[in-house]
Amino acid sequence: MSRERAAARDGAGLPYVVVFRVAGRAAPVEVWLVSWQDHYLGVWGYDEPGRRTDEFDLRLLDGDRLLRRYTKSRQYDGPDAAEFDEDRCRVDALELFADGGAVRTTRAGRSGGSLSTRPSIGDEQRWRARPAFGEWEPFTAGKQGFDGLPLVFEGDAAPLTEGRAGKKAEPWLPPRPARPLHLDALFRPGTRLWTSFEPMTVLDVRPVGTVRVPSGRLVVDCPWTGDGRELTVGVPAGEYVVESAWTHCAYEFMGAHVEHEDTPAVRLRVSDEPVAEWEMGLAPEDDLRVLPDGHAYGFSTDVAAGSFADGAAWQPLSEPFRQAAGQRAVEAEELGNGFLRTTEEALSADLLSFCTDGDGTYAVWVGRSESGDVAAVVVQTGHLPDLKVLD
């Protein structure tokens, strides 16, 4: 790519690649993956054998400032250690958050353990000015002992892997948030699904109960430990049916034939309109610009539970769960199959809780109809790795 074309792409925010080289060495010193329209600058540093040693993930925030969102360095234990073999290298990773938090993780190879800390990182380490086109300062040149490197432009959509023995250039894409997989199919009876665990069939969609949301503010959160994660997308004030998708699977286990029914997803049905498009259900503090590739925001739980609730009544609706912490005997209406409902009659509001497959963070997906109105809010509660629809 010519310098002129790269400059034009920079000005338009389009992806391009910058490669820093030094004479007499096949492998690059550093590769920059630039896509300002995606608020992204990725930097890869290489050693002389062509192994990636350093990674920087920077996100364009606050005008012309780059947050050093994630940094990872590898120190290989010898020249014969394979690239990315973390059993044969020390790995130091630092994750920074826009709110000032930080997590540092160190792993000392095959024989060492790992250590995580929460260091205090000042603004001078946290932020870096967005460089003007052509005014680049390599991140690792000083570390590698190089200065005044000639600049080489590589193709629009491929980071440099050429020049590394036997390896072909591979395409790259800027980080993208996670997308939901086949949510509609989970609520379509008769659909055959496949996961890396076992195939399954959607049996039916069963109504669980209703939730009144008079404020139009919708919380999807763990009622035991959550603070009331309210979605930025509201729903019309009203009463909505919560439904659970039920699947059936059969498999052999230790010589025995096993048949099992489960509910891998729950849905708050806002309207009968079909969903035309899904989007991530965000809270006010969520920022898609800083999400790692393939990740999603959601509610967190360490008791394998979530809920749909009216946002204005979250505190009284979730209070029975907090009071029951430790004994798991919640004063709530039992709706069967682990579903519970609490009610705040003074506000004509409800909370309906559901079980998840385990602890962790669960994404919330908002489905919109062709008109753009909210038609459904879904949580995939089950672990469905490599989900595919067979028919």
Side-chain angles (χ1 to χ4, degrees), residues 197-265:
F197 289 156
E198 64 271 323
M200 61 184 66
T201 301
V202 180
L203 290 176
D204 55 13
V205 177
R206 303 173 189 173
V208 175
T210 59
V211 173
R212 293 173 294 174
V213 188
S215 69
R217 296 163 47 192
L218 183 63
V219 165
V220 187
D221 205 349
C222 174
W224 300 84
T225 57
D227 294 326
R229 183 177 184 269
E230 184 175 330
L231 303 185
T232 56
V233 173
V235 296
E239 184 173 5
Y240 301 105
V241 174
V242 174
E243 301 168 320
S244 58
W246 283 86
T247 57
H248 171 270
C249 64
Y251 55 93
E252 302 296 321
F253 180 71
M254 298 182 66
H257 181 75
V258 178
E259 297 200 18
H260 178 65
E261 291 186 9
D262 201 2
T263 175

Side-chain angles (χ1 to χ4, degrees), residues 78-132:
D80 62 331
E83 185 179 37
F84 306 133
D85 184 354
E86 296 192 354
D87 284 337
R88 295 200 55 189
C89 63
R90 175 189 172 93
V91 179
D92 291 290
L94 177 64
E95 186 172 13
L96 303 181
F97 304 96
D99 64 1
V103 175
R104 172 174 278 128
T105 304
T106 301
R107 185 174 182 272
R110 179 187 300 117
S111 59
S114 62
L115 174 67
S116 291
T117 59
R118 295 185 176 273
S120 176
I121 304 295
D123 277 356
E124 68 282 358
Q125 293 177 275
R126 182 177 298 276
W127 297 95
R128 184 179 175 120
R130 169 183 171 173

Side-chain angles (χ1 to χ4, degrees), residues 60 109 151 166 173 180 191 201 225 232 237 261 291 364:
L60 183 62
L151 190 63
L173 291 172
T191 302
T201 301
T225 57
T232 56
E261 291 186 9
L291 263 183
V364 180

